[in-house]
Amino acid sequence: MRTSCAISRGASRHNGGVSPTASESLPADRSDVTRGLRDALLSAEFTADGLLELLGAPAYAALARSETVPALRATRGEGPLETLVRLFLLQQPVLRERVAGVLPLDACLESGWLRGIGTGAEVAATVDVRPYGGPDGEDWFIVSDLGCAVGGAGGIGSHDEGVVLGVGGASTTLAGITVRTPVAAALDIGTGSGIQALHASRHATQVTATDLNPRALHITALTLALSGAPAADLREGSLYEPVDQGAGATYDLIVSNPPFVISPGARLTYRDGGMSGDDLCRSIVQGAGEYLNDGGHAQFLANWQHVEGEEWTERLRSWVPRGCDAWIVQREVQDITQYAELWLRDAGDHRTDPAAYAARYDAWLDEFEARKVKAVGFGWITLRKTGAAEPSIVVEEWPHPVEQPLGDTVRAHFARVDWLRAHDDAALLESSFRLSGEVVQEQVGLPGAEDPEHVVLRQGRGMRRATKVDTVGAGFAGVCDGTLSAGRILDAIAQLMGEEPVLLRDRTPAQIRTLVEQGFLEPVA
């Protein structure tokens, strides 16, 4: 949950950096200045690839952990790229004449991207501007508050209620799992610095982005403009309230990395939803059904409570709106002490007065105790609007490594759900299947034993699942090449094993369905 890729986490407010608060003014959203600034950044190779080449892998990775010293050492030169890294990433004051050789200085000062320091001999950035590589090699830039491009293990170190973060592990995770098919209308709820809206702009005709924080909406506009992306329809408000203004507004894609942290109170807008327990996540999931078009997807990151005496899986099933299929994956579980410590550190509370830290920690545990919460889960929730009389709701735990991006994997999951729903066991046995690519078989048993204790099929791509199968399941999967029907394969296996074919046909479809549902087998049209 707290990891991120490459230059996605910003430098914290230390090492002499400039650190105005989030209450200070933002750059003006002026297209002429933004275009000139973008051109200058690209000309200096202030891109994800350019940074890697300049800094080298160790310093590049360190900057992603909010450790700035290696990057400071790597930018001692006075070239254009070193100047921009010092200015926007490391947030150091830089001599005016040095910046003037790289950026349209007067325009950047006038519009508020830069500000003079002291006597005016130096200038500093007013916002964090972070290179971000798009999925097809696009050179994008994410704007956020200074020192708040998600601050690494030490927390962002800001208690400003309206602070706007940059790219973090959660936002890149959501971007990676989102289904990327062409759509007419997409909705990004709680847009923050605009990362999800930026991704959606590649495949949605119209993007609507909402946020309770007006500062976030302004920063989203800057992110889109500086990245050369189309402008979005920006609306202020909580959850679905901003789109209620347009009666009947529906979307083909809804995404949200909401303020899902379960905390005692709404202390920080970017992370604390202000509702009791996990009610905010429940509300956003339950409300999605009303705003989805048929066939549309809604994809969220969320926290949920593990409550004493209640199955967490049933809690999440109750969130799924009527008429929607769902695939919910729990990626991580933390006990309540780990959870409280994580988010206290995120806000930098561990660096404040010890008594204040202890009081906040105690309040967090009081909240959990009152609600009988023993742990908190984190994961992904994907809905798809189908209107099916018997919806498919899959709730599972998979804490193991996966291969991002997973958007195609998510889309394929629901396509298989449709296929399975349309085929009873008789139709399944008449169908042909193909073993998915990069599936291997592992056999586990004592050395020298004639037969393995169990057989495991393992995926090399996507979710990288592993599932245990019996001898029949392993044999069936091994010969699936799309030429023979499932029934004919089972008849051949029955003959080899000396079993009654009818009995094998009766007991095997459930195992085949599991292999199809989990993506080990693909139905052949």
Side-chain angles (χ1 to χ4, degrees), residues 333-416:
V333 181
Q334 292 183 313
D335 67 51
I336 56 175
T337 59
Q338 290 175 310
Y339 189 80
E341 290 162 14
L342 168 68
W343 293 109
L344 286 167
R345 285 182 171 271
D346 174 81
D349 289 321
H350 60 304
R351 296 193 293 265
T352 63
D353 175 58
Y357 173 82
R360 289 194 178 104
Y361 197 154
D362 200 40
W364 223 305
L365 297 185
D366 282 344
E367 172 82 3
F368 285 134
E369 183 177 327
R371 301 182 64 83
K372 298 183 178 180
V373 176
K374 57 184 180 180
V376 177
F378 165 81
W380 319 326
I381 298 177
T382 300
L383 309 175
R384 188 189 53 155
K385 185 75 170 286
T386 64
E390 296 184 12
S392 167
I393 302 177
V394 177
V395 184
E396 61 177 320
E397 184 167 20
W398 188 251
H400 309 293
V402 298
E403 183 187 48
Q404 286 273 38
L406 283 168
D408 286 344
T409 299
V410 173
R411 180 187 52 77
H413 167 85
F414 290 105
R416 294 192 299 270

Side-chain angles (χ1 to χ4, degrees), residues 93-353:
V94 180
L95 289 173
R96 176 186 286 263
E97 58 266 26
R98 182 173 167 184
V99 176
V102 184
L103 299 178
L105 179 60
D106 290 341
C108 287
L109 286 168
E110 180 188 355
S111 60
W113 288 94
L114 303 176
R115 62 191 179 98
I117 298 293
T119 62
E122 293 180 318
V123 297
T126 60
V127 288
D128 186 300
V129 176
R130 202 133 298 231
Y132 181 72
D136 291 327
E138 300 93 342
D139 288 317
W140 288 340
F141 300 97
I142 307 300
V143 181
S144 65
D145 277 315
L146 289 176
C148 294
V150 185
I156 65 166
S158 173
H159 295 89
D160 196 318
E161 180 182 350
V163 74
V164 179
L165 301 188
V167 186
S171 49
T172 55
T173 293
L174 179 58
I177 68 173
T178 300
V179 175
R180 300 296 177 191
T181 53
V183 296
L187 172 64
D188 176 17
I189 301 174
T191 188
S193 55
I195 299 112
Q196 309 309 324
L198 181 58
H199 277 276
S201 71
R202 296 175 58 250
H203 61 102
T205 304
Q206 176 62 50
V207 177
T208 300
T210 72
D211 205 289
L212 185 64
N213 183 1
R215 186 178 182 84
L217 296 176
H218 189 95
I219 284 181
T220 291
L222 297 176
T223 289
L224 294 173
L226 194 58
S227 298
D233 178 8
L234 303 176
R235 303 189 185 187
E236 182 181 345
S238 177
L239 301 181
Y240 297 100
E241 290 175 3
V243 295
D244 281 337
Q245 299 166 6
T250 54
Y251 302 88
D252 307 298
L253 174 67
I254 299 173
V255 292
S256 183
N257 175 19
F260 54 67
V261 177
I262 301 170
S263 63
R267 182 171 162 224
L268 297 172
T269 302
Y270 75 88
R271 70 170 205 189
D272 303 318
M275 296 186 185
S276 180
D278 53 16
D279 283 354
L280 183 136
C281 290
R282 175 186 55 78
S283 297
I284 200 170
V285 174
Q286 288 183 336
E290 181 181 348
Y291 298 94
L292 274 179
N293 292 323
D294 288 342
H297 295 85
Q299 299 187 260
F300 311 107
L301 300 186
N303 273 175
W304 44 80
Q305 298 173 145
H306 285 228
V307 179
E308 185 177 344
E310 174 187 80
E311 288 293 331
W312 68 270
T313 55
E314 292 306 310
R315 182 181 193 85
L316 289 173
R317 285 178 180 275
S318 72
W319 290 9
V320 178
R322 185 183 301 275
C324 290
D325 292 338
W327 184 20
I328 302 172
V329 183
Q330 179 167 274
R331 295 286 291 156
E332 182 179 355
V333 181
Q334 292 183 313
D335 67 51
I336 56 175
T337 59
Q338 290 175 310
Y339 189 80
E341 290 162 14
L342 168 68
W343 293 109
L344 286 167
R345 285 182 171 271
D346 174 81
D349 289 321
H350 60 304
R351 296 193 293 265
T352 63
D353 175 58

Side-chain angles (χ1 to χ4, degrees), residues 7 82 127 170 184 192 223 233 253 341 391 465 485 494 508 517:
I7 303 295
E82 287 94 336
V127 288
T223 289
D233 178 8
L253 174 67
E341 290 162 14
R465 294 184 184 278
S485 70
T508 307
E517 180 185 290

Side-chain angles (χ1 to χ4, degrees), residues 419 422-433 513:
W419 191 93
H423 291 73
D424 60 16
D425 285 356
L428 182 145
L429 292 172
E430 292 297 319
S431 301
S432 300
F433 301 90
R513 286 184 179 277

